[in-house]
Amino acid sequence: MRTFTCYCGNRLYFENSRCLRCGRQTAFDPESLVMSALEPQAEGTWLALSLPSDRCRVRLCQNTLDFDTCNWLVNKDSSHTYCLACRMNSVIPDLTKPRRVALWFKVEQAKRRLLFTLLSLRLPVLTKQQNPTTGLAFQILADERLDADSINADTHNQVTTGHYFGCITINLMEADDSIREQMRERMNESYRTLLGHFRHESGHYYWFLLVDNSPWLEPFRALFGDERADYAEALASHHAGEEEGSDWQKQYISRYATTHPWEDFGETWAHYLHIVDTLETAWDANFEIEGQRLNSPLEQEPLQYGLGLNRESALQAESFPSFLEDWFVLSAALNRLNRSMGLPDAYPFVLSKKAIQKLTFVDQLVRQAALPVLFPESPLDRSD
């Protein structure tokens, strides 16, 4: 995640809605991926001081005006009242309850971070209004356990975080830190975050968008396994505690990845986004470790190594994205820093050779799916 600069020269962060030095309203423009200071204009419009003259007339998202839960912009001439991120919501929580508004704010922050990374990678980001079949939507639901403040509450209305044909469901309960920690301990997980849920579920969406019924399907099966295996049965086995054995780390990036090839891909995709965003943050902060400047994973040239679109080369892939070298160094340093503060490891995972091959697959998939421009008329109508 990058930082930005206010018109007054002060540093701005992605979540900022106001500059703490000059007091100007600030907001993020998803088309240019820029945070801009704003000057008020007539009739509820604003002048975005960091945007080019042909796009500097903007409006605030309706969720900014109504609930102060958003800091993204809408073009002045757009027919929409909501920003790109908020237009993707198909269902939101009951906002008559203040606690749910506060938790929804956290959900929206995590969702916008996900979308920033997807847009930075130039992946197709479509709403259901743009394409009902291939578009992406979010529904944020709350179940009765939230009101009981416990995952052990005996309730009939339980929400499962997941993905179904382009719709990602997030349980609002995951935005409550104490309840999420209860769930993490029950599931025996070393890592569980709201942003991690968004990244994982987006992996399911992009599998259906980019891999299914494409030339990538056979290489996927060579690395991750055959996704035609019964998914419901696999989930039931996982939740019943039937594990792959003590050596699962040699083949998978996390324990949950052992459940099914779809979950293996979802976990690998999520870790890819973890790595890209964290390295981008370190690069933006001018991190040097052992005298070496960390690189931005978003600034690399197109890949020269080849996974190929066939089973044999997928299984034999030895090379991997060069930025993983930076990740090994950075993640080790982050873990040491956390331990110095008495905190759990920031990245409590070990990347085996097989996990690196899977990350390589995701990296190539992302780079070959990248759009030449952020908002083309038909994002999936590509000649390549």
Side-chain angles (χ1 to χ4, degrees), residues 7 24-25 37-42 45-49 56-58:
Y7 189 73
R24 287 184 175 92
Q25 181 100 18
L38 307 175
E39 290 281 6
Q41 305 292 298
T45 64
W46 298 77
L47 178 66
L49 300 177
C56 64
R57 303 287 178 172
V58 296

Side-chain angles (χ1 to χ4, degrees), residues 300-313:
Q300 294 192 51
E301 294 297 319
L303 302 180
Q304 298 302 315
Y305 59 85
L307 187 65
L309 296 181
N310 61 75
R311 178 182 178 87
E312 289 72 22
S313 58

Side-chain angles (χ1 to χ4, degrees), residues 207-239:
W207 187 90
F208 282 104
L209 192 66
L210 303 176
V211 178
D212 193 25
N213 296 317
S214 81
W216 290 93
L217 186 56
E218 285 307 315
F220 164 84
R221 289 173 177 166
L223 279 172
F224 294 87
D226 193 334
E227 82 289 350
R228 291 169 293 188
D230 191 291
Y231 182 68
E233 181 179 320
L235 280 180
S237 297
H238 173 78
H239 292 306

